[in-house]
Amino acid sequence: MSYLDELFGLTGKVALVTGGGRGIGQVVAQGLARAGAEIVIISRSGADETVKKIHADGGKAYSLLADVTKEKEVDAALSEILKKSGKIDIVFNNAGTCIHEDTLKASIADWREVIDVNLTGEYIVARAVGKIMIEKGIKGSIINMASMSGTIVNIPQWQASYNASKAGIIHLTRSLAIEWSEYGIRVNSLSPGYISTPMSSDTPQELKDAWMPLIPNHRMGTPEELVGAVIYLAASTSGYTNGCDLIVDGAYHCQ
Ligand code: NDP
């Protein structure tokens, strides 16, 4: 085994990626597979393309349908994973959504939708997987998708529900890290800045033009630039990294 494999290799691990059908989840799922993990993707509309890409690359992957806001659907998917793969070692809790809206114009239904998917959805998945890890004595790694928006306030688009949901994820992560530390389960969050994905491609060009002067690195990031961060948090080399929020935002939050 090479030194890099010793530090970052995931051979023999089973990794669950929520929202891995496109965007960041798709690219990170491919990266975790290349590091050796068997990948299981959960999303509402399927992830055939991601699974095909991983198979073409010689990796192991399959996908299951579930809405992360629906506890029963998540439980059914996790039971299926235990039947097929026997365990879950890694979770990239990535499924998410965003609504840009002035607070005074936003409906409470929109607020609820964003909080439900981003915060409650990640809670439902983390809680259900944490229970399995504790029952099976798995010293796993849970990586919750937060955002720099959990720390900074984006300008000029208003998205209070999204920002609040991601701030909630960062503190949920710290809370679970301490609560489950006695079981050897690590819980960390990842906070990207602006990343080019289908979620951000719907964004009007004038908004992107407004972001550029505010990004110290003067460009958006790519999903590929998040892969190493997730592999680090998933692998044994980060054994003493727990309750951390790893910010990958081209220095945006430093201002
Ligand atoms: P995309 O919109 O490209 O992908 C979102 C994924 O989440 C899709 O696969 C979608 O699949 C899945 N998803 C959404 N709702 C649910 C649900 N209720 N149940 C199950 N799966 C769901 O987004 P990105 O790749 O851009 O974002 C991924 C994560 O990264 C999100 O949490 C986002 O907040 C975060 N992030 C993104 C940034 C960016 O600039 N792009 C910056 C910082 C953080 P389906 O519709 O099939 O269910």
Side-chain angles (χ1 to χ4, degrees), residues 19 22 24 44-45 67-68 94 145 162 166 193 195 197 199:
R22 59 173 191 260
I24 294 169
R44 291 166 306 178
S45 57
D67 183 328
V68 295
N94 160 78
M145 182 53 110
Y162 183 83
K166 295 301 187 177
I195 305 293
T197 67
M199 184 188 268

Side-chain angles (χ1 to χ4, degrees), residues 13-19 28 32 37-38 40 42 68 74 78 81 87-95 121-133 138 140-145 180 185-190 230 233-234:
K13 304 286 184 191
V14 177
L16 167 63
V17 177
T18 69
V28 169
L32 291 168
E38 176 182 4
V40 189
I42 287 182
V68 295
V74 170
L78 298 187
I81 298 171
K87 60 176 184 162
I88 302 169
D89 303 286
I90 297 157
V91 181
F92 182 43
N93 211 351
N94 160 78
E122 291 201 27
Y123 177 78
I124 287 172
V125 172
R127 193 171 80 133
V129 176
K131 188 164 180 268
I132 291 169
M133 286 176 173
I138 297 168
S141 170
I142 298 174
I143 301 147
N144 292 325
M145 182 53 110
W180 292 342
I185 298 169
R186 295 182 298 112
V187 189
N188 293 289
S189 59
L190 178 71
V230 178
L233 293 174

Side-chain angles (χ1 to χ4, degrees), residues 30-185:
Q30 288 176 263
L32 291 168
R34 291 188 80 178
E38 176 182 4
I39 307 299
V40 189
I41 293 163
I42 287 182
S43 67
R44 291 166 306 178
S45 57
D48 290 353
E49 187 186 281
T50 313
V51 169
K52 269 189 205 147
K53 281 174 189 255
I54 292 173
H55 288 170
D57 211 20
K60 283 174 81 177
Y62 57 93
S63 69
L64 299 168
L65 295 180
D67 183 328
V68 295
T69 66
K70 302 203 163 81
E71 230 181 316
K72 280 190 181 152
E73 292 187 19
V74 170
D75 286 344
L78 298 187
S79 299
E80 188 66 24
I81 298 171
L82 291 183
K83 257 192 238 153
K84 282 189 163 164
S85 308
K87 60 176 184 162
I88 302 169
D89 303 286
I90 297 157
V91 181
F92 182 43
N93 211 351
N94 160 78
T97 192
C98 182
I99 299 177
H100 295 156
E101 236 169 3
D102 295 9
T103 296
L104 297 183
K105 289 183 190 152
S107 66
I108 297 298
D110 286 347
W111 165 273
R112 287 209 167 104
E113 186 188 331
V114 174
I115 297 294
D116 208 24
V117 177
N118 293 2
L119 185 55
T120 311
E122 291 201 27
Y123 177 78
I124 287 172
V125 172
R127 193 171 80 133
V129 176
K131 188 164 180 268
I132 291 169
M133 286 176 173
I134 290 166
E135 279 170 5
K136 291 188 166 288
I138 297 168
K139 297 186 188 318
S141 170
I142 298 174
I143 301 147
N144 292 325
M145 182 53 110
S147 165
M148 70 171 179
S149 308
T151 304
I152 60 93
V153 174
N154 304 70
I155 297 171
Q157 78 279 22
W158 307 132
Q159 47 180 52
S161 55
Y162 183 83
N163 297 351
S165 73
K166 295 301 187 177
I169 288 295
I170 292 168
H171 209 57
L172 169 67
T173 297
R174 294 188 188 120
S175 308
L176 296 181
I178 292 184
E179 196 170 329
W180 292 342
S181 59
E182 66 177 294
Y183 303 106
I185 298 169

